[in-house]
Amino acid sequence: MIDLNGYWDFQITPIGKFHTKVIGTSWEKILVPASWESQGVDVNIEGVGTYRKIFTLRKEEVEEINSKRAFIRFNGVSAYCKVWLNGIHLKEHIGIWDPFTIEIEKPLKEENELLVKVVKPGKYLPLRESLAGFLPDVYAPFGGIWQPVEFLIKEEVFIEDVVIRTEKGGRLDVLVMVNTNNRHIKADLVLEVIYGEEVVATQECSTNSLARFNLSIKDPKLWSPEEPNLYNIRLRLYRDNILKDEYKTTFGFRDVTYNGYKILLNNFPIYPRGILHWGWYPESISPNPDKETIVKEIRELKSLGFNLIKFCLFVPSKDYFETADREGMLIWQELPMWLPRVNYDFKMSVLRQYKAIARMLHYHPSIVIWTLGCELNREVDEEFIEKLFYTVKDNINGGLIKDNSGSGECYGGLLKEYGDFYDYHFYTDPQFYRDLIDRFGVSWRDKKPWLFGEFCDLDTVRDIAKLREKYGKDPFYLDKPKIGIDWQVDYKNQYEKLKGEGLLDRLNELVESSKEKAFSYRKMVLELVRSYERISGYVITGMRDTPITTSGIFDDFMEKKFSSDDFLKINSDTILSLGWDNKRSWINGGDRLIEWDRFNYLGGSLVRAHLILSHYGNKKIKRPKLRCLVRDRNNTVLYSKEEIIKKTIRPGDASEIGIIEFTAPTVRAPKRLKLEASLEFDGKLIENYWFIWVYPKVNMDKLKIFDPKGIIKFNVEEPKEDVFVSTELNKDILESIYKGAKVLYIQPEEGGLKVNRKPFFRESIQVLSDHPIIQRFCPYGLSIEQWYSLATDSVFPKEVLEEYDAKGIFSRLDTRTYILDYYLIEANLEKGILMATTLRFNGGLGDQAEGIDYSPSGKYLLWIIMRYLSRR
């Protein structure tokens, strides 16, 4: 009868006028629902947003409404608001994510004025107290009536709330709260459960306040991602045989439990493969996409093998949950507490909001995991978190729940945890994952599922030229307001910085190279994680490129960065990965583990890789057919085999199913080989591939890098006393270079040149120059497998190049700040040559090769550098 959505009058006034009805005289038009920032209001403005809706009614409409009960329901206002109707103050509310309803107690008139004053999170309403979550730190807090507003007309007695509890066996418990305006009027309720067009159960009862229905559905159709079966509830309320109210919703039968490390959905192991969603939509600023966008997002994610979305510190619209229910997408709902500043009022507000959110969402079968906040520290005390935990647990329809995503263990919070699973957020280079997993996943801990609540990010190069073409300039969101955390990013100057470094002409190359690196990195990490049976699932950071990171699976245009065919090989129910034999050595009177480079080999050496199958799904795999193949870039087959695997793989297993073993070919230059494996069973084909590198054998007998004196003579083909390697750079060495020496200086941890500490894999792309060393070592361009044991967390800044008038040979381009640093540089110093590097020929970081003898790529790169110097 009254449509409260659409255009309202709007104005921004100073904060001081919030608590009174006083308003200005200047009005603009604004659309509801939507954030005001998406409609031209500067994100830096923090005044009072005043909304006015004047609606007129015919006389007969006024009489009808006033003879009944009328309500206004706000489904989402950010974040603190006061509401007036016809000059009478009705209510105030704080909370971005929970809806609220106001009963209109004074009669409506033929002309009515609805006034809503809104303050968004900021200085007046501090970010961390408003439960604004992470969105203010991604870009900025949003303000306004961002969800629909509904006008509801009810009879004197109506259905106020419904709570649904289900069990996979078909048990259905429905609790109905009837509002009788405190008159305890007796009403009759009829409940129908519908599947498709068929009514599968019905029940009736009478009540004057609460009613409980207990039903059993025969042979229930269970909800799962593969078969998202939904039932409908239709609940009718009668008084004196006259229909007074009706309630409809959907629900699903599903059961989420765990057994040891395994998460069980309807008693079958399931492996959550999630994407981290921050709710970033540059089109709307608020996390309120239209239905078409939601469907597209979910289907695109499924095409890449994802079966779960984690809503990180925000709560989307009901459309998203309803679509996830229909499309069969699992949801991890993380409630919006991050970096809180806790006091008594905050605790009471959070308890109220969390209960309201849980009650609002409880019946959606897609929501299978809940967390109460992210990376919480000691501000959140045990009594508070315990109350929150049981408040949410008591108001949801099953699912796994945990207090602190990321764990107090890692973020300085409570070591006593409340929850059904472990949850860690490891952001690191791939060499360090094994140690983290092995130490945090020790066997003496209680056997519960272990999920990476967010991890595995790698930033790609933003296609700034394409964005400028779309917007006519840099997108507005690249100039992030100074609100929330001030991240160390500089996307707004990307174009000029690339131009200044002479890299703008190589933008397309860098964009594509960064995508290849991002895929290779995630492939390494995900395959490693899947080889651990005790790891139960993961959430990859993140969904879409944002103002603070380009680690999205989708870019700014919501276009996939990776092909579905490739990504499904590492992100499906069943995948193949590789494992490797160990090495040990007797050192200083005892056995020690020796790390070695698994991606790089000398020609003629043994290559032996164990094939590991990680399998999830509803069926066992029996006697699958395994095919293995090794070939070079010319498609020359170096190894092949085919066999039937005489074992049964159960759902939830991660176990060895075969071995690829062959002798690396003798080569005259670095050669990349492709290892391929496929498994055929029940009409399905599981495939994967891996790259390794083979190098020529070189004579390094006279090269011992880590001589205590720091200087080692080097022989390539004939003695050359003026070519040497040093791990020191002092006055004597520099003087010898000025006189004609050619020196490779390998920077130790604390060395003679200035370095900055930055990750090799994350937040960067490696830039190759057109140099003989690079041409010789990287014949096919950048391949991160070659650099695994050479990777370093030290770089030379530009000041070093300027000091020695050097040029970069192998560089690091930061994909957040677009600062160019250097791993390998060359300088002509009068008669001699200085080459300096931070690369780790001795490995030693994480599970890198332990010494140059176990690093074929390091040995070969060192040899060609010295060979280059000897021939200059």
Side-chain angles (χ1 to χ4, degrees), residues 80 277 285 327 332 394 419 452 531 588 689 767 826:
Y80 179 31
H277 200 322
I285 310 300
E327 295 286 325
W332 178 334
D394 291 344
F452 285 110
S531 71
N588 298 337
Y689 64 88
V767 181
E826 179 180 7

Side-chain angles (χ1 to χ4, degrees), residues 11-20 22-24 45-50 117-119 124:
Q11 62 180 239
I12 289 281
T13 53
I15 286 289
K17 296 183 179 180
F18 176 70
H19 290 288
T20 67
V22 176
I23 54 177
I45 292 177
E46 202 189 316
V48 178
T50 303
K117 288 196 168 190
V118 182
V119 174
Y124 182 77

Side-chain angles (χ1 to χ4, degrees), residues 84-99:
W84 289 264
L85 180 64
N86 294 331
I88 299 171
H89 177 240
L90 300 181
K91 187 170 184 172
E92 62 184 277
H93 178 267
I94 183 170
I96 302 171
W97 316 108
D98 59 315

Side-chain angles (χ1 to χ4, degrees), residues 850-866:
E850 193 169 337
I852 196 166
D853 287 338
Y854 295 96
S855 177
S857 63
K859 186 178 291 188
Y860 184 74
L861 179 59
L862 184 58
W863 184 81
I864 61 173
I865 291 173
M866 300 311 297

Side-chain angles (χ1 to χ4, degrees), residues 56-66 109-110:
T56 57
L57 301 170
R58 299 190 305 274
K59 183 177 181 180
E60 55 270 25
E61 289 178 320
V62 172
E63 291 174 354
E64 180 185 356
I65 293 171
N66 288 338
K109 303 179 294 185
E110 291 186 26

Side-chain angles (χ1 to χ4, degrees), residues 679-692:
L679 204 68
E680 188 176 349
F681 60 93
D682 297 336
K684 297 180 180 179
L685 184 66
I686 303 299
E687 299 177 290
N688 207 349
Y689 64 88
W690 306 267
F691 293 118
I692 65 169

